Every structure is written in C-alpha cells, then in structure tokens.
Amino acid sequence: MKLRAEFIEKIKKLLVERKNDMTAQLLDIANDKVSDGQVQDSGDEALSLTMETLQNSLQKSEIDELNLINNALMRIENGEYGVCIDCGEPISERRLEHFPYAARCISCQEALEK
Ligand SMILES: [Zn+2]
C-alpha cells in the first residue's frame, strides 16, 4: 500500500519543524560559547571556528537525530519515504507515526537489533 500524499506532507512538516527547533537550539549553544570569548575574529575564520564550536557542542544523540531527520527528509524528496531500505516493503503508517525517522520495516529493524 502506498502512503497517502497528505500523510507524507504531515510527516514532512513535523520533520522540518523538529529540524528547525534543533538547529536553533544548537546555534544558541554555539552562540553562548562564542560570546564566552572563545572566538573574537571576524570573517571566514570566525565562521569556521563557529562551526567547529558548534560541532564540539553537539551531543552525539543530537547529531544522530539531525542525521535521521535529514535522511528522512531526503527520502521524502526522493519519493523513497515509507519504504523499507532493506527489503523494499512498505513501512506501516502506524509505525511512521511513532517513528517518523524509521527507514526500515519492523521485521528488518528487529532483525538488525538482534
Ligand atoms: Zn524490511
């Protein structure tokens, strides 16, 4: 069964909102560090330092989540969203409601975790 377009739209909106939230939060963290006086230069150097600071500030779980969001958004763009990346079977809407980032169907995910 193919996913309904409006369902995908709903998930996409959710993912984009979550991504924006997280990005804003992470930028806040980075700005805090920057205003602590770690970065004083302007221009490209400051920018790259900011990115470095940002990356250093990130918790691994946050990086993981951002990656999952980006991957899910990419699959939506490619029209591959909701299809298991392992077996190619559709992932149920019920599962996607609970785990919008899910890239695998329940059986493949369970097989992977064993
Ligand atoms: Zn599967």
Side-chain angles (χ1 to χ4, degrees):
M1 195 183 74
K2 214 170 173 299
L3 289 172
R4 287 171 293 124
E6 59 266 40
F7 179 80
I8 295 185
E9 271 309 305
K10 190 176 90 179
I11 297 279
K12 184 174 170 181
K13 205 168 151 240
L14 200 126
L15 289 171
V16 169
E17 272 170 16
R18 180 76 185 131
K19 185 179 165 178
N20 289 343
D21 268 9
M22 286 194 72
T23 311
Q25 217 173 19
L26 296 171
L27 281 175
D28 266 2
I29 297 172
N31 281 333
D32 277 357
K33 302 244 172 180
V34 172
S35 58
D36 281 350
Q38 290 180 11
V39 180
Q40 279 144 1
D41 276 331
S42 58
D44 288 348
E45 199 184 343
L47 185 67
S48 71
L49 276 171
T50 306
M51 285 311 294
E52 200 178 309
T53 311
L54 182 64
Q55 266 154 13
N56 290 339
S57 319
L58 294 183
Q59 300 296 316
K60 195 182 173 306
S61 63
E62 289 168 329
I63 298 176
D64 284 350
E65 187 172 358
L66 265 180
N67 281 337
L68 288 171
I69 294 174
N70 283 330
N71 285 340
L73 286 170
M74 213 159 67
R75 289 198 303 278
I76 291 177
E77 290 304 319
N78 295 339
E80 293 161 358
Y81 184 75
V83 176
C84 174
I85 58 171
D86 281 351
C87 70
E89 291 294 317
I91 304 168
S92 72
E93 285 191 10
R94 201 185 144 79
R95 173 164 167 73
L96 291 170
E97 294 249 21
H98 288 281
F99 304 102
Y101 320 140
R104 290 180 178 84
C105 68
I106 291 175
S107 2
C108 289
Q109 189 61 44
E110 280 176 354
L112 194 77
E113 282 166 7
K114 261 174 202 157

